Amino acid sequence: KQEVTQIPAALSVPEGENLVLNCSFTDSAIYNLQWFRQDPGKGLTSLLLIQSSQREQTSGRLNASLDKSSGRSTLYIAASQPGDSATYLCAVFFTGGGNKLTFGTGTQLKVEL
Amino acid sequence: DGGITQSPKYLFRKEGQNVTLSCEQNLNHDAMYWYRQDPGQGLRLIYYSQIVNDFQKGDIAEGYSVSREKKESFPLTVTSAQKNPTAFYLCASSIAGGEQFFGPGTRLTVL
């Protein structure tokens, strides 16, 4: 079964800290992987999309990496700010998975002053 | 201003009623999706459409129906057959196999 797992479910860090969010997936045959941010009661905001052929993508203070062989992706957030507080979701488009994204349950991040 | 709109933001349904959630996009995307989000669970796919006049069931299609008569619109009907419809519903669109973009969501509550 194709599954996506995110650990930990919740994380609290002091402002200014660099942090890493983890995503693991059970099948290395993927088309792409996408990281999202969700604020309470809101829709999802796309942060980064990594294609299967890529190893990483960067946008501002965010860097996402992809290692298909180990079934892992990480989202690195540099110099965290209170405004980064949100739930971060990882989603995988598995090859042969029916033209859909499979989502993890997310990591709830709190950045404290 | 390109994007995805969903309406209404909040919806209340009495037991036995059908209700329809609206999703519109002006991104010229061929693919559109409906997800359901419940506390503590990941997003689950209800239905998706890769092209006008065609759609496929997702993982939890029972009790729901959709139509795709226009490229920019993908309405979702929650029927009385859906036994536990209280949830947050999210619509998304993309080019085929590409980055998905989401609307702001509709929160449905059964009274």
Side-chain angles (χ1 to χ4, degrees), chain A residues 69-83:
Chain A
S69 62
S70 66
R72 293 180 183 275
S73 175
T74 62
L75 179 67
Y76 174 83
I77 303 177
S80 59
Q81 303 169 358

Side-chain angles (χ1 to χ4, degrees), chain A residues 31-32 34 36 38 40-49 51 89 93 98-106, chain B residues 9 33 35 37 40-45 48 50 58-59 88 90 96-105 107:
Chain A
Y31 188 72
N32 62 44
Q34 201 167 348
F36 296 90
Q38 186 176 30
K42 306 293 186 183
L44 277 63
T45 300
S46 180
L47 298 174
L48 289 163
L49 172 73
Q51 298 291 355
L89 294 158
F93 197 114
N99 289 318
K100 63 176 184 176
L101 285 174
T102 300
F103 281 82
T105 52
Chain B
K9 185 174 182 179
Y33 309 82
Y35 295 90
Q37 187 175 37
Q41 298 194 38
L43 274 71
R44 293 182 290 168
L45 183 66
Y48 64 101
Q50 298 291 304
D59 300 317
F88 191 47
L90 290 158
E99 187 175 6
Q100 285 196 18
F101 296 91
F102 281 75
R107 187 165 299 279

